Amino acid sequence: MNILALESSATACSAALCRDGRLIAQSFQCGGLTHSRTLLPMVDDMLKNCGGALDQVDVVAVAAGPGSFTGLRIGVATAKGLAWAGGMPCAPCSTLESMAWPLAHMEGKLIVCAMDARRKQVYNALFRGRGGRLERLSPDRAISLEELGAELKNFPEEKIVVGDGAQLCYNTLREEVSGLALAPVHLRTQSAWGVARAAEELAASGGLVSGAELAPVYHRLSQAERERLERERAAEIAGPTEIDSSHNDLQGVDKHV
């Protein structure tokens, strides 16, 4: 099975081509350019350089969330376009599970996946390495650093923090959580190979979807949505405005004239 995997959930952007579990090619960039400019050219160049083509791809995999709202939309939109063009199914992979796969060989270690979600929160999931496989210990979630620190104290084993929020998590919790360590630099940032590995699991469990069904998984409302809901709640609490009240009064007078 040939899997084309895309990762654009955070600052780094990458694409990978895997064949029957073996990495054939991977392109990675963390230069600060927008993924809308880099992702598709990256895919095109990678396929050309390894002698591959889109019509040889069986599954298009993408980090579907959580992550940067813009980054997820770019990755999912790109995957949808490639899948529709070639008629392939898609693998909507958990960003957090994908970043844990490169550490699955760390037998018995607690893998703490962390992405900076702002507002003193991280997107997080916990896994344990089991002989090259992953044991999931928590769902994907948005959690405060304080809550995560309290939960990690319940695990006696060494804890490896991975993801674009790893440094934040480590700096905040290292004094209160024993056995906390950063993943090696070359494994710390999420990459498309992890997405491809997560896609293998999805394919084996029947979790593939069509391009039409593929959608981002945000795990939290965007700032614009939060602000809109806050305005609506404030308006409900304030009640009708003076203008509305006057309008209603005039309507009552008209009825009785």
Side-chain angles (χ1 to χ4, degrees):
M1 180 172 61
N2 292 328
I3 298 176
L4 174 62
L6 312 176
E7 222 302 348
S8 60
S9 65
T11 305
C13 180
S14 61
L17 180 65
C18 290
R19 180 176 302 135
D20 297 328
R22 184 166 59 94
L23 179 64
I24 303 300
Q26 181 167 229
S27 182
F28 179 93
Q29 183 170 317
C30 192
L33 296 177
T34 60
H35 303 332
S36 59
R37 292 176 53 189
T38 58
L39 186 55
L40 265 176
M42 183 182 291
V43 170
D44 186 49
D45 289 344
M46 181 187 68
L47 289 175
K48 288 177 180 176
N49 290 338
C50 69
L54 187 59
D55 60 8
Q56 298 172 332
V57 172
D58 299 305
V59 175
V60 179
V62 64
S68 155
F69 286 77
T70 301
L72 294 179
R73 284 192 288 266
I74 291 170
V76 167
T78 302
K80 289 170 81 76
L82 293 172
W84 271 332
M88 293 89 75
C90 296
C93 299
S94 158
T95 308
L96 297 166
E97 180 183 337
S98 299
M99 71 175 69
W101 272 110
L103 302 174
H105 64 283
M106 295 186 172
E107 182 72 27
K109 302 260 176 82
L110 184 71
I111 303 169
V112 183
C113 300
M115 299 183 71
D116 189 357
R118 313 299 179 189
R119 306 175 78 185
K120 297 182 179 180
Q121 288 188 324
V122 287
Y123 295 120
N124 165 260
L126 303 178
F127 299 86
R128 186 178 282 120
R130 291 293 190 192
R133 302 192 64 81
L134 289 177
E135 176 189 0
R136 181 181 276 274
L137 302 177
S138 78
D140 291 359
R141 60 206 175 163
I143 187 173
S144 72
L145 287 165
E146 181 180 358
E147 291 174 310
L148 179 59
E151 184 173 341
L152 291 180
K153 292 177 183 178
N154 297 322
F155 293 90
E157 63 262 52
E158 185 179 353
K159 305 155 190 72
I160 307 295
V161 193
V162 62
D164 73 293
Q167 192 72 57
L168 169 67
C169 191
Y170 177 76
N171 290 346
T172 305
L173 302 178
R174 61 183 174 181
E175 293 185 1
E176 61 178 285
V177 177
S178 63
L180 194 65
L182 285 168
V185 173
H186 66 287
L187 297 178
R188 196 177 306 164
T189 303
Q190 45 264 54
S191 69
W193 179 84
V195 177
R197 184 63 186 83
E200 291 179 19
E201 299 295 310
L202 271 181
S205 64
L208 301 182
V209 301
S210 68
E213 295 172 307
L214 183 65
V217 181
Y218 296 122
H219 290 279
R220 199 174 72 179
L221 292 175
S222 67
Q223 182 176 347
E225 280 293 299
R226 292 197 302 270
E227 291 175 352
R228 179 183 64 80
L229 291 174
E230 287 170 2
R231 287 195 300 269
E232 290 178 355
R233 282 196 293 267
E236 290 175 1
I237 293 171
T241 63
E242 292 184 6
I243 294 176
D244 291 337
S245 298
S246 300
H247 177 66
N248 290 336
D249 291 341
L250 288 174
Q251 282 185 321
V253 170
D254 288 342
K255 284 181 180 179
H256 291 89
V257 169

